[in-house]
Amino acid sequence: MTLEKSVSIAVTSDAVFNALTSPQEIVKHFPFEAVTSDCREDGEITFQGAVNGVPFTDYGRITRFEPGKAFAYRYWSTNHGTERRPENELEVRYEIVAGQDQTHLKVVQDRISSPDYFDMMNTAWDHLLGALKQNLESRS
């Protein structure tokens, strides 16, 4: 299954891209404790956090890295209850389009295998994109 969400943010496309790709910025608006990234296509990206007090790590590989335009990665998480194999990886794609006074951000999460996880992420992305928008606009 594929989930798509979008939001318009009153900042530049470069600011949105930086917020989605810089480890120091990601933790300011997404619920991760630490992020490490090679910040390049085919580089590694790792997210660490906790859900209900249970730690998790998302292990990913960056599949697209176009400053100001697009960012994508495939990942497997220790909290998904699956084996770490390519067929169990999810994909997240961000498409960034600069407008006159705002930037339009579309997120696509692909390879979702269960309706329950789809429903959970559908709600989660609303919260995540809202936090990103609020964080970025409050600084501009």
Side-chain angles (χ1 to χ4, degrees):
M1 289 181 273
T2 302
L3 175 64
E4 294 184 17
K5 294 285 184 171
S6 61
V7 65
S8 293
I9 306 172
V11 296
T12 67
S13 59
D14 288 338
V16 172
F17 184 83
N18 186 53
L20 297 171
T21 61
S22 165
Q24 297 81 11
E25 290 296 312
I26 294 169
V27 297
K28 291 179 181 177
H29 44 265
F30 288 167
F32 299 115
E33 296 166 5
V35 177
T36 57
S37 176
D38 292 339
C39 293
R40 64 175 172 79
E41 199 161 302
D42 201 38
E44 293 183 4
I45 188 165
T46 304
F47 305 92
Q48 294 177 309
V51 174
N52 299 323
V54 178
F56 70 87
T57 302
D58 294 350
Y59 297 95
R61 177 142 320 267
I62 299 168
T63 57
R64 192 169 175 194
F65 195 90
E66 293 181 55
K69 295 181 182 178
F71 175 59
Y73 57 91
R74 289 179 64 133
Y75 76 99
W76 173 85
S77 183
T78 58
N79 72 353
H80 287 173
T82 62
E83 290 183 46
R84 188 173 180 185
R85 300 186 337 197
E87 60 268 24
N88 293 326
E89 292 177 346
L90 298 176
E91 183 175 28
V92 174
R93 296 187 308 272
Y94 296 103
E95 299 169 12
I96 302 165
V97 178
Q100 188 168 357
D101 297 324
Q102 57 188 352
T103 298
H104 182 72
L105 172 64
K106 177 178 163 184
V107 62
V108 177
Q109 185 169 12
D110 204 7
R111 301 172 49 93
I112 299 172
S113 60
S114 81
D116 289 341
Y117 189 73
F118 181 94
D119 290 343
M120 181 191 72
M121 290 310 301
N122 190 40
T123 301
W125 277 115
D126 288 337
H127 174 74
L128 294 170
L129 293 177
L132 175 67
K133 178 181 174 72
Q134 181 180 20
N135 185 332
L136 289 176
E137 289 181 348
S138 70
R139 294 193 250 164
S140 61

